[in-house]
Amino acid sequence: FSALGSGAGRMILGAAFMVPVAYLTGHGLPRSLHLWLWVSALGAFGLLVPFLLVVWAQQFVPSNIAAAFFPSIPLLMLVFSRVILKVHITKRKWVGLVVGSFGLLILSGPGTFSQSGFSGQYLPQMAIIACCILLAAAAIFVRLMPKAPPIQTTAGALLVAAIMALPIAVVEIPMTVPPAKPMIALIGVGIISTGAGNLLRYVLIRRKGPVFITPNAYLVALVAAFLGVTFLGETLTLATLLGLVTIVAGLLIAQDGTGNMKRY
């Protein structure tokens, strides 16, 4: 699959999974125009556009450089939570997330910053920055949305994203049937990461607030490293271990029990 094709495909598969689940659980799709407007904005700017931006950018920017931008997401979420939602953020939590961000930068590999100014990479890097801003803002947006069943809202947002992604998927569809492994991978990332993952993210934000999920970027790095070693035969280098230890330290520092919001 092409980069844009895989980005569009995961949205379509996520919707194909979540919409039937919404009806099977008795929730269905949003029933009011007001809620559809909120859901459409979330589907377009909180799901489809960020994913397409990052997969497009990674055709030109090495993965380690792309990864170096993602520590900004939890930090941006803290800033947005403080400014927009008026959530009190302790110094300890700020310090912990900054420490965790350094861990992610270590994991992105040596020479990241020396490579970041390569000619022709400025537009792709801006696309990744825009992706980070949109993902952080989406968490705040979810908290501000009208009250509705999470399954209903997630299914509606994914349906909007899928409809918008359909023309891209048609243009980028492979000329031949892909092998089983990439097909299974795309189905898995569509159903598990995009469908179920976004549902869980929505539920957590509504119950605890955006600050509660800020460690997500760091936990992703820990889980990815574990799965890579366990299933892909990857080796743990000294830099990887140092990065993981730094991330764990940041997570421990940040867990001061503050910043959580009431269920909404």
Side-chain angles (χ1 to χ4, degrees):
F1 298 100
S2 67
L4 291 177
S6 63
R10 68 183 295 173
M11 293 298 155
I12 294 171
L13 289 166
F17 170 72
M18 281 304 306
V19 171
V21 168
Y23 279 102
L24 287 172
T25 55
H27 296 291
L29 294 172
R31 297 178 178 87
S32 69
L33 177 61
H34 178 65
L35 184 56
W36 267 117
L37 292 175
W38 282 86
V39 163
S40 298
L42 178 62
F45 300 106
L47 293 174
L48 181 63
V49 174
F51 280 112
L52 291 182
L53 283 174
V54 73
V55 296
W56 174 80
Q58 285 196 275
Q59 297 175 97
F60 311 98
V61 177
S63 295
N64 66 316
I65 294 179
F69 288 94
F70 281 91
S72 66
I73 296 177
L75 298 177
L76 285 169
M77 288 171 62
L78 285 189
V79 173
F80 293 157
S81 295
R82 182 71 187 95
V83 174
I84 299 174
L85 302 178
K86 309 301 182 183
V87 179
H88 174 65
I89 311 295
T90 63
K91 291 181 180 179
R92 176 176 171 177
K93 190 171 289 292
W94 278 109
V95 170
L97 292 179
V98 169
V99 171
S101 297
F102 277 114
L104 285 181
L105 291 177
I106 294 172
L107 285 181
S108 68
T112 295
F113 294 106
S114 65
Q115 300 177 59
S116 61
F118 277 175
S119 176
Q121 290 188 3
Y122 297 109
L123 188 58
Q125 288 181 34
M126 291 300 295
I128 297 173
I129 292 172
C131 169
C132 294
I133 293 173
L134 286 173
L135 289 176
I140 310 301
F141 189 83
V142 166
R143 185 69 191 188
L144 296 173
M145 289 179 67
K147 188 175 182 180
I151 293 179
Q152 183 183 87
T153 307
T154 305
L158 282 169
L159 180 60
V160 171
I163 292 172
M164 296 177 65
L166 193 58
I168 299 173
V170 171
V171 172
E172 298 290 333
I173 192 169
M175 299 302 294
T176 58
V177 178
K181 185 178 290 186
M183 287 288 291
I184 294 171
L186 185 59
I187 293 171
V189 79
I191 293 176
I192 299 173
S193 300
T194 309
N198 275 291
L199 173 61
L200 291 174
R201 186 172 188 265
Y202 184 92
V203 169
L204 287 174
I205 293 172
R206 297 290 288 189
R207 288 187 175 184
K208 293 289 188 177
V211 174
F212 182 78
I213 68 166
T214 49
N216 176 65
Y218 311 126
L219 294 173
V220 167
L222 293 173
V223 174
F226 171 78
L227 294 177
V229 171
T230 305
F231 297 104
L232 301 179
E234 296 178 357
T235 57
L236 283 176
T237 64
L238 181 60
T240 301
L241 287 172
L242 178 60
L244 294 176
V245 169
T246 306
I247 289 172
V248 171
L251 288 172
L252 292 176
I253 294 172
Q255 297 307 305
D256 60 357
T258 64
N260 297 341
M261 304 179 72
K262 293 182 179 179
R263 182 170 181 170
Y264 181 67

